[in-house]
Amino acid sequence: MSSSIFKHGFKRVPAFMVHVAAVVAVAAWGVSFVNTRVLLDNGFSPIEVYLFRCVIAYALLLAFCHKRMRALNGWHELLFLLCGICGGSVYFVAENMALLYTSTTNVSLITSTSPLINALLVGLIYKEERPNKGIVLGSVIAMVGVVMVILGGSSAGDSAGHGFAHGVLGDSLSLLAAVCWSVYALLLRKLQAFYSALYVTRKTFFYGLITTLPFLMLQPSNLTLEVFTLPVVWVNLLILALIASSLSFVIWAWVIARIGAVKAGNYLYFQPVVTLIFGAIVLHEAMSLLGIVGGVVTILGVYAGERLSKEQRRLHH
């Protein structure tokens, strides 16, 4: 299978499947916070979690996309390097470290604010693509739902006795991850006209892997060989590498190419809802009625934004 199949085959997919694909990718990322937490609880450091998932993901991507190694020019290569930093190393190291200080739902919530950051950046850079009132209203409604989700969730920082200072550190790292993801979405816009989603994802993970190596000097490894004999470790690591990384990143690059970064970003509001549910099932983090209602409000917000946006475009035409 070559990258051209991914590039040209995806163009024939029905429009509604683009939105289904966005939900699938975001659901995988919502679960990934739980997968990461399980690995952290089994002795992995935040850096090691990303490093191992990145190595496996890159090997798989390289197997499917290996005909072209270098980008078309030096400028594009620099943009891929920035993709690797913003959508790879710094994003995941910050996100994984945040999980040491607060709950999975809290980290998922804050990182899901990237659509608002992205909409602001897109509006500043591409004035012709400023989000319309429908998308803004839908985003606000969805964000209210997200806040309800986190207020109805648990605070792992408090329950583990980390205290307020560690909670602030976890929130700050999560916000850094959200900003990085917003920049990554903008960088994709520059590259998608020249490369397939598969190629962009492979290059992102290559530079993500390279730029993660310096972080290893900051924290010595405490992993033992016995850890890799545990089925729970391999199951969660493979889910992170194969589904949350390889597959979901390719899907997301394609979704952004089809419907744009702002509209695609609204689906990220589903992320904390999924995290809340799986955090309750796997990690036994509390899930309250307020959290459930917040999940419903989030879904309504995304739906309302999409419908109102379509209606406004129809009236303008």
Side-chain angles (χ1 to χ4, degrees), residues 76-193:
H76 286 181
E77 203 70 49
L78 176 60
L79 291 179
F80 279 124
L81 171 61
L82 294 176
C83 281
I85 293 172
C86 296
S89 57
V90 175
Y91 171 78
F92 280 107
V93 170
E95 180 182 275
N96 292 351
M97 289 186 68
L99 288 169
L100 294 176
Y101 304 111
T102 188
S103 69
T104 56
T105 306
N106 202 31
V107 178
S108 184
L109 161 75
I110 296 175
T111 55
S112 73
T113 61
S114 61
L116 296 179
I117 301 172
N118 184 260
L120 177 61
L121 292 176
V122 169
L124 290 174
I125 299 174
Y126 304 97
K127 294 183 179 180
E128 72 279 4
E129 294 188 32
R130 287 176 178 172
N132 59 40
K133 293 179 181 179
I135 291 180
V136 172
L137 180 59
S139 296
V140 171
I141 295 173
M143 196 61 203
V144 169
V146 167
V147 172
M148 293 172 68
V149 167
I150 189 57
L151 291 177
S154 63
S155 174
D158 291 340
S159 63
H162 291 312
F164 177 77
H166 280 188
V168 171
L169 176 58
D171 292 346
S172 300
L173 288 168
S174 301
L175 184 59
L176 172 61
V179 173
C180 284
W181 189 259
S182 300
V183 176
Y184 170 67
L186 286 177
L187 291 170
L188 286 180
R189 294 170 58 97
K190 298 289 187 180
L191 296 166
Q192 288 169 331

Side-chain angles (χ1 to χ4, degrees), residues 50-309:
Y50 175 64
L51 189 63
F52 279 103
R53 74 183 280 186
C54 188
V55 168
I56 297 172
Y58 180 70
L60 178 64
L61 292 166
L62 187 61
F64 283 100
C65 179
H66 52 265
K67 290 185 176 180
R68 170 185 287 173
M69 299 306 295
R70 293 184 179 181
L72 295 175
N73 54 58
W75 169 242
H76 286 181
E77 203 70 49
L78 176 60
L79 291 179
F80 279 124
L81 171 61
L82 294 176
C83 281
I85 293 172
C86 296
S89 57
V90 175
Y91 171 78
F92 280 107
V93 170
E95 180 182 275
N96 292 351
M97 289 186 68
L99 288 169
L100 294 176
Y101 304 111
T102 188
S103 69
T104 56
T105 306
N106 202 31
V107 178
S108 184
L109 161 75
I110 296 175
T111 55
S112 73
T113 61
S114 61
L116 296 179
I117 301 172
N118 184 260
L120 177 61
L121 292 176
V122 169
L124 290 174
I125 299 174
Y126 304 97
K127 294 183 179 180
E128 72 279 4
E129 294 188 32
R130 287 176 178 172
N132 59 40
K133 293 179 181 179
I135 291 180
V136 172
L137 180 59
S139 296
V140 171
I141 295 173
M143 196 61 203
V144 169
V146 167
V147 172
M148 293 172 68
V149 167
I150 189 57
L151 291 177
S154 63
S155 174
D158 291 340
S159 63
H162 291 312
F164 177 77
H166 280 188
V168 171
L169 176 58
D171 292 346
S172 300
L173 288 168
S174 301
L175 184 59
L176 172 61
V179 173
C180 284
W181 189 259
S182 300
V183 176
Y184 170 67
L186 286 177
L187 291 170
L188 286 180
R189 294 170 58 97
K190 298 289 187 180
L191 296 166
Q192 288 169 331
F194 304 96
Y195 309 95
S196 69
L198 186 61
Y199 182 84
V200 169
T201 305
R202 195 205 78 198
K203 294 287 282 188
T204 295
F205 272 88
F206 171 75
Y207 282 114
L209 176 60
I210 296 300
T211 55
T212 300
L213 297 179
F215 286 103
L216 291 175
M217 295 184 293
L218 302 177
Q219 191 172 30
S221 177
N222 294 316
L223 284 179
T224 62
L225 292 177
E226 287 77 12
V227 170
F228 293 97
T229 65
L230 301 175
V232 68
V233 167
W234 280 107
V235 168
N236 285 279
L237 190 57
L238 289 176
I239 290 174
L240 285 175
L242 304 181
I243 300 177
S245 295
S246 302
L247 180 61
S248 295
F249 266 71
V250 171
I251 289 174
W252 195 250
W254 172 68
V255 167
I256 287 181
R258 288 291 297 269
I259 64 176
V262 175
K263 188 179 292 186
N266 272 343
Y267 283 97
L268 288 174
Y269 291 123
F270 285 113
Q271 182 178 278
V273 178
V274 176
T275 305
L276 178 66
I277 294 171
F278 278 85
I281 296 172
V282 179
L283 304 175
H284 307 294
E285 293 182 348
M287 182 170 63
S288 68
L289 178 61
L290 181 61
I292 296 173
V293 173
V296 174
V297 172
T298 299
I299 294 172
L300 290 176
V302 175
Y303 175 77
E306 177 69 16
R307 295 292 297 179
L308 290 173
S309 178

